[in-house]
């Protein structure tokens, strides 16, 4: 990470204002390293670009967050007093100025394919990224995330889940290439980026399951996008049993989630 957590680069020509965030979760190093390289190597021709290390204290500690998950704090009227609330307010001012956001994440799962979170309005760009999965619906089920905040304001955002946090070296080139493609697609740089078209699967996030009691338990360890058999009970929480409907899959299964927070996301395969 650089000394400053917010770096602005301005082009000679008038154009869009963009933001690239990394380290909203401080332990997701792939995006943070990609941002380091992008800041060193990219000059902006058109418009203005904010390069943002979103949660510098968490990045410094190598922790997901310090007090609160920053990616749940992007909403008007946030008057919380944790480090993350204050940072969210600062970052919302930047987002209010921006037309489009690229937000680099990595998954806390042990493995799993990289995927894009965006809504249909962003498909043209998302199709050009070398990611195998495009996942929609998140802006509706989680409106207080960075991308949810952008969509609430009628804008576009792309969250890139750049593989597992344990596979930084493997996915760093993908994260960096995606930054170049983003800046090229939205007109900030004139450098042509080579696009390798990767076949896509579409998955729509439908609901969040929260950990209601300390007795919450998954029946087994799940991979991201693992298809659940129809009718199968995949988790129990005290006296509640969660069972799957047809074509449902599971994302971000967190057996050790903090009480009251998300234990997993349930999504439908092959629809937008
Ligand atoms: Zn993240």
């Amino acid at each position: 990470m650089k000394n400053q957590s917010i770096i602005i680069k301005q082009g000679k020509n008038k154009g869009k204002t963009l933001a690239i965030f990394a380290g909203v979760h401080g332990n997701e190093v792939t995006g943070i390293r990609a941002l380091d390289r992008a800041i060193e190597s990219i000059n902006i021709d058109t418009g203005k670009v904010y390069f943002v290390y979103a949660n510098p204290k968490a990045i410094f500690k190598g922790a997901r967050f310090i007090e609160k998950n920053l990616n749940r704090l992007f909403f008007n009227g946030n008057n919380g007093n944790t480090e993350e609330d204050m940072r969210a307010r600062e970052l919302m001012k930047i987002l209010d100025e921006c037309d489009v956001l690229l937000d680099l994440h990595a998954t806390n799962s042990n493995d799993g394919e990289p995927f894009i979170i965006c809504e249909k309005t962003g498909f043209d760009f998302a199709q050009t990224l070398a990611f195998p999965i495009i996942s929609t619906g998140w802006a509706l089920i989680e409106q207080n995330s960075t991308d949810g905040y952008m969509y609430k304001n009628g804008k576009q955002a792309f969250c890139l889940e750049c593989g597992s946090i344990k596979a930084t070296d493997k996915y760093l080139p993908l994260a960096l290439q995606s930054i170049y493609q983003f800046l090229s697609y939205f007109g900030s740089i004139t450098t042509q980026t080579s696009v390798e078209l990767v076949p896509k699967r579409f998955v729509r996030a439908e609901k969040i399951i929260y950990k209601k009691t300390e007795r919450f338990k998954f029946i087994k360890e799940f991979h991201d996008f693992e298809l659940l058999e129809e009718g199968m009970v995949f988790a129990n929480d005290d006296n509640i049993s969660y069972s799957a409907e047809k074509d449902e899959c599971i994302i971000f299964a967190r057996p050790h989630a903090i009480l009251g927070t998300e234990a997993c996301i349930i999504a439908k395969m092959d629809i937008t």
Side-chain angles (χ1 to χ4, degrees):
M1 189 178 69
K2 308 287 172 195
N3 288 332
Q4 282 170 291
S5 66
I6 297 168
I7 290 150
I8 302 169
K9 294 197 186 200
Q10 186 113 36
K12 289 190 295 287
N13 313 309
K14 278 208 162 121
K16 285 194 162 59
T17 301
L18 307 179
I20 302 171
F21 282 13
V24 165
H25 297 125
N27 62 335
E28 296 170 3
V29 179
T30 314
I32 298 161
R33 281 177 51 195
L35 196 69
D36 290 341
R37 301 231 186 137
I39 292 165
E40 283 159 17
S41 57
I42 296 175
N43 291 315
I44 300 303
D45 302 308
T46 301
K48 183 176 176 182
V49 180
Y50 285 93
F51 296 86
V52 177
Y53 297 94
N55 192 340
K57 290 194 177 160
I59 293 171
F60 187 71
K61 249 182 108 176
R64 184 169 169 81
F65 53 82
I66 304 293
E67 291 177 85
K68 279 187 189 173
N69 180 357
L70 176 61
N71 212 20
R72 298 293 175 265
L73 303 176
F74 291 83
F75 57 94
N76 291 328
N78 174 344
N79 58 4
N81 52 17
T82 68
E83 293 281 353
E84 273 94 4
D85 287 299
M86 288 185 266
R87 186 64 170 169
R89 289 197 286 274
E90 204 176 334
L91 298 182
M92 280 189 278
K93 283 186 201 149
I94 292 176
L95 293 179
D96 289 344
E97 218 193 289
C98 289
D99 300 296
V100 194
L101 166 71
L102 182 73
D103 188 7
L104 301 165
H105 289 255
T107 66
N108 287 254
S109 316
N110 287 331
D111 52 21
E113 289 183 288
F115 64 99
I116 303 166
I117 293 174
C118 71
E119 299 306 321
K120 282 184 193 169
T121 48
F123 277 9
D124 277 355
F125 169 60
Q127 295 275 15
T128 69
L129 295 173
F131 281 65
I133 298 171
I134 297 180
S135 180
T136 59
W138 299 73
L140 275 177
I141 61 169
E142 189 41 81
Q143 300 193 356
N144 300 338
S145 59
T146 56
D147 49 317
Y149 182 78
M150 289 297 276
Y151 283 105
K152 264 187 290 191
N153 289 297
K155 297 173 179 179
Q156 282 188 49
F158 302 88
C159 283
L160 304 185
E161 294 286 349
C162 304
S164 164
I165 50 169
K166 294 180 181 150
T168 292
D169 289 337
K170 181 175 174 190
Y171 292 113
L172 180 59
L174 174 66
L176 187 58
Q177 185 202 333
S178 302
I179 293 177
Y180 273 97
Q181 283 182 244
F182 174 72
L183 294 173
S184 171
Y185 185 89
F186 290 101
S188 308
I189 57 173
T190 47
T191 325
Q192 285 296 317
T193 50
S194 59
V195 177
E196 165 207 355
L197 286 175
V198 171
K200 307 274 188 274
R201 289 195 79 175
F202 292 88
V203 177
R204 187 172 72 204
E206 303 250 290
K207 59 187 171 209
I208 302 174
I209 291 178
Y210 293 92
K211 180 172 174 174
K212 295 197 173 97
T213 77
E214 287 298 353
R215 285 172 294 285
F216 185 97
K217 219 173 162 149
F218 288 108
I219 58 145
K220 67 179 206 76
E221 194 181 309
F222 287 105
H223 305 292
D224 284 340
F225 301 101
E226 187 168 332
L227 190 61
L228 303 169
E229 219 175 284
E230 192 178 352
M232 157 199 197
V233 171
F234 58 89
N236 293 289
D237 195 352
D238 206 10
N239 55 0
I240 310 164
S241 289
Y242 293 102
S243 60
E245 288 168 30
K246 195 172 180 291
D247 297 330
E248 281 186 339
C249 68
I250 188 164
I251 316 172
F252 294 155
R254 296 206 181 92
H256 306 297
I258 299 167
L259 193 63
T261 67
E262 301 103 273
C264 67
I265 309 283
I266 297 299
K268 275 239 200 267
M269 297 294 274
D270 299 319
I271 52 168
T272 58

